[in-house]
Amino acid sequence: MADIKTFSCIRPKADMVARIAALPYDVYSRQEAREKVQGDEDSFLRIDRPETQFEEGHDMYAPEVYSKAAEMFQQMLEDGRYESDDEDSYYIYQLVMDGRKQNGIVACASIDDYQNNIIKKHENTREEKEQDRIRHVDRMSAQTGPIFLAYRAEEQIERVVTEVTKESPLYAFVSEDGIAHNVWKIGDTERIAEIRQAFSKMNEIYIADGHHRAASAVKVGLMRRKEHPDYDGTEEFNYFLSVLFPDNQLKILPYNRVVRDLNGYDEQSFLKRVEEKFTITPSSIPVSPACKGSFGMYLSGQWYELAVREEFCSEDPVDGLDVSILQRELLEPILGIADPRSDKRIDFVGGIRGLEELERRCGEDMQVAFSMYPTAISELFAVADAGRLMPPKSTWFEPKLRSGIFIHSI
């Protein structure tokens, strides 16, 4: 049974929230982060990426970098840019993109639920990326970027959310990318009890995005348990900051692929090889696949629609994913991409960038591009329920949760 609890939130003053809120630290390269915070004393990205406050080339994992993050956050507290809620509460974080609303419950999830697989994963994590966030959370004694969790829609929670979102929000602002961000506080004890009870009946909650942040928060919690052997489980370090969304409100965008060369084939012989596994139909317009099992391909200024032949499909929760089919039947055997995690000949383009970005890349540094049909949230759940892992770059969630709006002190 899931333990999803309220917490005492440290959050921006209402007149500061739009200036403080920042996209997650890991959507930026080091150079992009440096450029983004230049001349900006309010963006939370400075704290999430504190290496931007040092000279270029400075070791971004050095102890003084994480100390700088804690120092800057303390300064924001002293300057009055943040305030603390005295009582433990839930919050509703509503994001609106292209008229579509998704309402998440901001809360703290149990590190024990993570360890016991009530909170399910679908992605491996990398040690060096974990270590960065472990040091950040540990030095800050706070979690600053919420983990994006998903659950199967539940009527009781939906009813409470509907009631609360009719009231005046704590925050209502539109970020520079056009996403509306609205926040409500749930401090009423009866509503809190309803939400906590509804979550307590769930046996599965899923990490949608933020596997490294989740793993890091859990490992810091386990470190604190060793430091405090008399812990009783109620301490804040036993929980990690999360936003939980119902599955029926989530949208996954495709994660498209671009490849640098044709692995020694000329175009005609390449197309002939592809035709062994896929039907190929030239298209006069860019191809955004309309259904599972279909792909767009852009080569030498021409778009094609690919449809995988039935004998190469699979009912297996992982092998049947479109990203798996493309990898197994085309990228590896024809283009020689054996390990998409490490092969420098392949790159991945989030669906938010559109098909124009695929065309641009093929005109710049790549030769062939593939547009994907988005992975369904039900497919993600099926993979996690089977205890399996998604292939790399299977999902691109939009909109992204902002960091710096909700801080959980541990």
Side-chain angles (χ1 to χ4, degrees):
M1 303 301 181
D3 180 11
I4 305 296
K5 81 173 196 73
T6 55
F7 70 111
S8 177
C9 186
I10 302 171
R11 54 186 179 82
K13 294 281 184 67
D15 62 347
M16 291 297 304
V17 65
R19 289 156 62 183
I20 289 173
L23 283 165
Y25 74 98
D26 52 0
V27 307
Y28 296 102
S29 69
R30 190 171 187 178
Q31 186 58 36
E32 287 170 341
R34 181 176 293 278
E35 292 170 0
K36 186 70 177 173
V37 303
Q38 192 169 12
D40 188 341
E41 293 298 310
D42 295 317
S43 172
F44 203 83
L45 185 60
R46 297 181 315 133
I47 293 166
D48 265 352
R49 295 293 293 271
E51 79 276 9
T52 59
Q53 306 303 300
F54 293 81
E55 294 293 324
E56 287 191 51
H58 192 96
D59 179 5
M60 64 185 291
Y61 304 121
E64 63 269 18
V65 172
Y66 302 99
S67 294
K68 182 66 174 178
E71 174 193 317
M72 288 188 292
F73 183 57
Q74 185 60 38
Q75 188 63 52
M76 294 182 88
L77 294 175
E78 293 174 3
D79 289 349
R81 283 177 276 182
Y82 272 85
E83 59 186 331
S84 300
D85 286 334
D86 295 330
E87 66 281 6
D88 285 2
S89 306
Y90 290 122
Y91 298 81
I92 296 171
Y93 182 14
Q94 180 187 81
L95 298 101
V96 187
M97 179 180 180
D98 299 330
R100 180 182 60 83
K101 296 179 181 178
Q102 58 184 62
N103 297 307
I105 301 293
V106 186
C108 285
S110 163
I111 67 174
D112 291 316
D113 286 350
Y114 178 96
Q115 298 223 100
N116 297 333
N117 211 36
I118 290 173
I119 295 175
K120 295 178 179 287
K121 310 91 180 165
H122 67 264
E123 186 180 290
N124 272 330
T125 55
R126 287 165 47 192
E127 178 69 18
E128 70 273 16
K129 292 182 73 173
E130 279 188 27
Q131 285 300 320
D132 169 48
R133 288 302 102 175
I134 286 171
R135 294 174 189 137
H136 193 275
V137 171
D138 191 41
R139 184 64 186 84
M140 293 273 296
S141 281
Q143 298 149 0
T144 61
I147 316 307
F148 186 157
L149 301 180
Y151 62 92
R152 291 184 175 87
E154 203 282 334
E155 186 178 347
Q156 190 172 346
I157 296 174
E158 186 176 347
R159 181 176 52 76
V160 174
V161 168
T162 299
E163 291 174 0
V164 174
T165 53
K166 291 177 181 176
E167 301 168 1
S168 297
L170 283 177
Y171 305 134
F173 68 96
V174 178
S175 51
E176 60 187 21
D177 55 1
I179 307 299
H181 304 261
N182 305 309
V183 174
W184 292 262
K185 180 178 177 179
I186 304 177
D188 175 81
T189 54
E190 188 173 320
R191 286 171 170 168
I192 287 173
E194 283 191 77
I195 291 172
R196 187 151 195 178
Q197 180 189 44
F199 280 123
S200 74
K201 295 176 182 177
M202 296 182 190
N203 293 318
E204 305 94 8
I205 291 174
Y206 303 84
I207 299 178
D209 201 7
H211 282 79
H212 286 93
R213 276 169 281 158
S216 303
V218 169
K219 288 185 177 179
V220 172
L222 296 176
M223 286 165 46
R224 297 285 172 95
R225 285 181 173 183
K226 286 185 177 179
E227 294 165 2
H228 301 87
D230 58 343
Y231 77 92
D232 62 13
T234 63
E235 298 85 356
E236 293 301 323
F237 57 70
N238 294 289
Y239 295 86
F240 59 89
L241 180 65
S242 305
V243 186
L244 300 99
F245 291 93
D247 60 343
N248 60 0
Q249 293 181 6
L250 297 180
K251 184 178 181 65
I252 301 178
L253 296 184
Y255 221 142
N256 300 318
R257 275 81 168 128
V258 287
V259 180
R260 194 171 305 281
D261 57 64
L262 298 184
N263 196 31
Y265 290 97
D266 61 39
E267 288 184 22
Q268 289 308 311
S269 57
F270 170 69
L271 289 170
K272 190 172 182 179
R273 283 294 313 275
V274 172
E275 205 165 18
E276 295 171 6
K277 305 279 183 77
F278 301 81
T279 60
I280 305 177
T281 307
S283 174
S284 59
I285 60 172
V287 177
S288 179
C291 62
K292 184 172 167 57
S294 66
F295 309 82
M297 184 172 72
Y298 183 71
L299 176 66
S300 297
Q302 173 67 56
W303 278 97
Y304 301 89
E305 183 176 348
L306 309 183
V308 66
R309 298 183 188 278
E310 189 174 349
E311 61 265 33
F312 302 111
C313 296
S314 172
E315 295 299 318
D316 182 87
V318 176
D319 293 343
L321 296 171
D322 277 8
V323 289
S324 297
I325 292 169
L326 187 72
Q327 175 63 32
R328 182 179 66 246
E329 307 299 346
L330 197 160
L331 295 180
E332 181 170 2
I334 303 175
L335 292 178
I337 308 290
D339 184 358
R341 291 180 177 84
S342 59
D343 197 314
K344 302 300 184 187
R345 295 169 53 237
I346 189 170
D347 200 4
F348 303 89
V349 180
I352 192 69
R353 295 180 179 269
L355 300 180
E356 299 84 0
E357 178 68 7
L358 302 185
E359 296 180 356
R360 187 190 72 78
R361 290 294 299 273
C362 285
E364 185 177 276
D365 62 338
M366 297 289 174
Q367 190 167 356
V368 61
F370 300 93
S371 58
M372 310 293 294
Y373 187 70
T375 302
I377 191 71
S378 58
E379 291 180 306
L380 185 155
F381 285 3
V383 171
D385 285 341
R388 307 274 295 281
L389 299 175
M390 304 277 277
K393 311 296 185 185
S394 294
T395 57
W396 181 282
F397 283 92
E398 284 288 346
K400 302 291 186 189
L401 310 183
R402 266 38 179 194
S403 294
I405 302 178
F406 311 98
I407 309 294
H408 175 226
S409 178
I410 61 168

